[in-house]
């Protein structure tokens, strides 16, 4: 028997906690601002505070909102605070979820069911930007709603010139992002909302990333296009507490313009032998700790605190934009207006994925985007103090890649290049699925992005040859 076994007798608590501490040693170094995604970290004192709030409610369960009235109170207050920030009308209501993905999934389920019930739609579709967060593609697959994509313009904004034509009687919703994840661009929400009203279709704004920073940027005097409930066509908005709300992980919210919409999100089964059952969201048991931590963090930071965090973030973003534009061969992708950005290469001889490898070799954890290829940065207040170092390292990385163009065919750059550019997307999908699934084989595996070499299977060799051929042709 090779499975891990439980310790036969319970272990000493300090010993177990020491193990946890040791496990984290190989994790991304987010405390010093070296991680440009996944983590929104202020400082250890803030984490301790959120953890203290979490601890008080770690066993509490939001499954039945009538049972833990403390949790229902926190949920209502958080939703109400967000409704105010997003200029929602008096009737604005909503639900706390475990994360942005749950919020996005719920919007699709809600509008599919609304269309089924009120318009007898049987083969639902939704019109979403090509830059919509991947959670929307997941929702499309889970709930069997066909995505109809709005393409990007030449400068990577959402092209809405064909939005009207893409809406038909089976369209259940329209989506805009504020901002979108790949480049940080805010979609033309006002124009999209006007078309949604004209067509009588609900419109969701995905402000998972923007919901807790754009309102404070506006309070600080920045001019942004209207993107929230001020736009009449917007019927719902998602906003993540665990991103720029700086709450502990496991907290997001979805808000609707009125209860008639939210009702379609709810699930009721009256004949279950376990009892009559009603649930407002996707999860069954809902973690009380996450709600308590989110509520506590909102109270502790307050308007002034969030304005200050937004100002620091904007300063970091601006420093990055200026610095990146000064490095020859790099260009910002599109017109990011929020707290994140992506940049790519403007020089065919400069491979941006090889630049990413060089940044990683210097201790920065970065994400890669594709179509076009680029390096992503989700910027937080914590990054204000590290932008100078980052830009110095970036300039050096660009120099090195320029001097060694071969780096494009080595390391991770080769693997990411393959995944982004091989035209047989189905094959890429299968390959990624196989590799990814290995992480979950019995006992757990490791994810490796191998260099294309001798022992790799046919497909990879073929893909490597294809990419080399493309590279030679420029
Ligand atoms: C992060 C994000 C999501 C998904 O949120 P998770 O909390 O990661 O599930 C959805 N939409 C946008 C625009 C995001 O940035």
């Amino acid at each position: 028997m090779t499975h891990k076994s439980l310790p036969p007798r319970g272990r000493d608590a300090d010993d177990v906690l020491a193990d946890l501490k040791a496990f984290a040693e190989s994790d991304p170094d987010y405390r010093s601002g070296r991680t440009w995604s996944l983590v929104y970290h202020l400082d250890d004192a803030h984490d301790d505070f959120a953890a203290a709030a979490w601890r008080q409610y770690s066993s509490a369960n939001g499954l039945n909102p009538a049972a833990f009235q403390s949790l229902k109170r926190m949920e209502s207050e958080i939703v109400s605070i967000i409704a105010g920030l997003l200029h929602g009308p008096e009737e604005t209501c909503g639900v706390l979820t475990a994360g942005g993905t749950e919020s996005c999934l719920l919007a699709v389920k809600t509008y599919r069911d609304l269309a089924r019930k009120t318009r007898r739609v049987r083969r639902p579709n939704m019109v979403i930007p090509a830059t919509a967060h991947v959670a929307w593609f997941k929702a499309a697959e889970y709930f069997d709603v066909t995505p109809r994509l709005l393409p990007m313009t030449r400068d990577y904004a959402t092209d809405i010139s064909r939005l009207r034509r893409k809406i038909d009687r089976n369209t259940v919703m329209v989506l805009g992002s504020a901002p979108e994840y790949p480049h940080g661009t805010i979609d033309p929400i006002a124009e999209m909302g006007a078309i949604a009203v004209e067509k009588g279709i609900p419109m969701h704004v995905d402000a998972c990333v923007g919901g807790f920073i754009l309102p404070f940027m506006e309070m600080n005097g920045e001019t942004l296009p209207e993107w929230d409930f001020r736009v009449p066509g917007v019927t719902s908005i998602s906003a993540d507490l665990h991103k720029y709300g700086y709450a502990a992980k496991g907290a997001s919210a979805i808000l609707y313009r009125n209860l008639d919409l939210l009702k379609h999100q709810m699930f009721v089964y009256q004949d279950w032998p376990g009892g009559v059952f009603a649930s407002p969201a996707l999860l069954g048991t809902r973690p009380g700790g996450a709600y308590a931590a989110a509520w506590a963090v909102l109270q502790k930071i307050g308007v002034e605190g969030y304005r200050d965090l937004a100002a620091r973030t904007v300063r970091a973003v601006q420093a990055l934009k200026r610095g990146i534009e000064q490095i020859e061969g790099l260009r910002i992708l599109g017109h990011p207006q929020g707290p994140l950005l992506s940049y790519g290469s403007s020089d065919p001889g400069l491979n941006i994925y090889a630049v990413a490898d060089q940044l990683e070799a210097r201790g920065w954890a970065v994400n890669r985007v594709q179509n076009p290829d680029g390096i992503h940065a989700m910027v937080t207040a914590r990054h204000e103090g590290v932008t100078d170092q980052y830009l110095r390292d970036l300039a050096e990385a660009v120099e090195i890649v320029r001097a060694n163009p071969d780096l494009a065919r080595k390391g991770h750059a080769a693997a990411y290049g393959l995944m982004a550019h091989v035209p047989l997307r189905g094959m890429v999908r299968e390959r990624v699925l196989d590799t990814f699934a290995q992480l979950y084989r019995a006992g757990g595996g490791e994810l490796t992005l191998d260099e294309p070499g001798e022992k790799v299977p046919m497909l990879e060799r073929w893909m490597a040859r294809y990419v080399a051929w493309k590279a030679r042709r420029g």
Side-chain angles (χ1 to χ4, degrees):
M1 191 62 206
T2 55
H3 292 311
K4 279 230 153 144
S5 35
L6 268 176
R9 225 168 287 121
R11 292 171 53 197
D12 173 66
D14 288 336
D15 223 37
V16 175
L17 294 176
D19 272 3
L20 289 182
K21 200 161 190 166
F23 292 168
E25 267 163 28
S26 59
D27 284 347
D29 179 14
Y30 59 84
R31 282 194 174 79
S32 54
R34 294 228 147 218
T35 304
W36 295 91
S37 70
L38 300 172
V39 182
Y40 303 76
H41 174 76
L42 291 182
D43 51 44
D44 287 346
H46 179 75
D47 278 3
D48 288 345
F49 171 76
W54 182 295
R55 197 177 309 126
Q56 288 186 42
Y57 285 87
S58 62
S59 292
N61 190 342
L63 181 148
N64 175 356
F68 283 90
Q69 286 181 27
S70 55
L71 295 183
K72 184 66 196 80
R73 174 192 176 154
M74 290 181 235
E75 181 172 31
S76 300
E77 289 191 15
I78 294 171
V79 165
S80 181
I81 288 170
I82 302 175
L85 289 172
L86 306 186
H87 304 93
E90 207 57 50
E91 305 73 37
T92 305
C93 52
V95 170
L96 284 192
T97 66
T101 299
E102 189 188 350
S103 298
C104 301
L105 292 177
L106 283 170
V108 175
K109 179 230 131 26
T110 299
Y111 292 129
R112 183 200 64 181
D113 289 358
L114 172 71
R116 266 186 190 160
K117 190 110 189 215
T118 60
R119 297 191 285 127
R120 302 184 174 282
V121 168
R122 289 286 169 268
R123 303 183 59 186
N125 70 63
M126 58 179 174
V127 184
I128 68 174
T131 53
H133 191 271
V134 72
W136 297 94
F137 295 86
K138 196 185 223 181
E141 200 171 296
Y142 282 13
F143 296 120
D144 214 2
V145 175
T146 308
R148 292 191 172 172
L149 299 190
L150 296 169
M152 283 184 268
T153 62
R154 264 195 293 175
D155 57 353
Y156 316 117
T158 296
D159 178 357
I160 58 163
S161 61
R162 295 170 69 176
L163 172 56
R164 253 192 207 85
R165 264 178 290 165
K166 283 188 192 277
I167 297 174
D168 65 15
R169 66 162 307 279
N170 290 320
T171 302
V172 303
M173 64 168 278
V174 171
L175 173 74
S177 311
E180 42 89 309
Y181 174 91
H183 321 105
T185 306
I186 300 176
D187 284 332
I189 305 293
E191 291 85 342
M192 297 175 83
I195 295 172
V197 168
E198 175 195 316
K199 294 280 192 179
I201 302 293
M203 173 165 170
H204 182 89
V205 171
D206 182 357
C208 281
V209 74
F212 274 92
I213 189 161
L214 300 186
F216 301 104
M217 286 169 62
E218 286 187 52
M219 286 181 209
N220 287 344
E222 311 236 356
T223 354
L224 296 173
E226 284 200 344
W227 60 274
D228 60 13
F229 283 116
R230 280 169 290 187
V231 176
V234 172
T235 50
S236 55
I237 303 181
S238 46
D240 286 355
L241 291 139
H242 65 198
K243 285 181 182 156
Y244 289 95
Y246 294 99
K249 289 282 185 283
S252 169
I254 178 160
L255 276 73
Y256 292 89
R257 195 175 271 279
N258 59 54
L259 195 55
D260 283 343
L261 294 167
L262 172 55
K263 260 171 103 171
H264 293 276
Q265 178 176 299
M266 295 178 168
F267 174 83
V268 177
Y269 185 52
Q270 66 286 353
D271 298 326
W272 185 40
V276 174
F277 184 90
S279 146
L282 212 77
L283 300 188
T285 289
R286 298 198 299 156
Y291 300 1
W295 186 89
V297 164
L298 291 180
Q299 299 298 319
K300 179 164 170 291
I301 295 181
V303 173
E304 242 179 69
Y306 281 113
R307 285 183 61 173
D308 179 53
L309 290 167
R312 284 163 56 194
T313 306
V314 167
R315 281 201 293 275
V317 169
Q318 282 167 350
L320 285 177
K321 280 185 185 164
R322 274 196 307 272
I324 290 164
E325 271 156 5
Q326 277 164 16
I327 300 175
E328 209 187 303
L330 297 183
R331 58 172 184 147
I332 304 282
L333 299 177
H335 302 284
Q337 285 168 299
L340 67 131
L341 57 88
S342 284
Y343 56 95
S345 162
S346 55
D347 170 355
L350 181 70
N351 184 290
I352 198 71
Y353 290 157
V355 173
D357 286 354
Q358 291 298 315
L359 282 175
E360 286 191 334
R362 284 158 184 75
W364 302 100
V366 297
N367 269 357
R368 286 109 176 134
V369 295
Q370 58 178 355
N371 307 322
D373 297 351
I375 296 174
H376 193 256
M378 196 69 105
V379 185
T380 67
R382 182 69 191 80
H383 289 115
E384 202 191 0
V386 302
T387 52
D388 287 348
Q389 185 61 47
Y390 179 85
L391 289 167
R392 274 198 298 277
D393 286 349
L394 178 58
E396 195 178 294
V398 166
E399 281 313 304
I400 290 179
V401 174
R402 214 189 277 288
N404 306 276
D406 251 21
L407 289 172
R409 287 187 286 283
K410 294 193 177 134
H412 290 170
Y416 282 108
L418 281 175
M419 289 194 286
H421 298 298
V422 164
L424 304 165
R425 305 311 293 162
M427 274 197 193
V428 173
R429 185 186 179 279
E430 288 306 306
R431 244 345 262 162
V432 172
L433 179 58
D434 284 351
T435 314
F436 190 74
Q438 287 306 314
L439 275 173
Y440 290 90
R441 68 167 187 253
E446 275 177 43
L447 190 63
T448 48
L449 284 170
D450 291 320
E451 293 184 31
E454 272 314 298
K455 286 202 285 277
V456 293
M458 234 225 342
L459 172 63
E460 273 93 318
R461 278 212 298 280
W462 181 85
M463 294 201 298
R465 273 208 299 275
Y466 174 83
V467 167
W469 173 75
K470 281 285 276 189
R472 273 199 306 278
R473 296 181 75 219

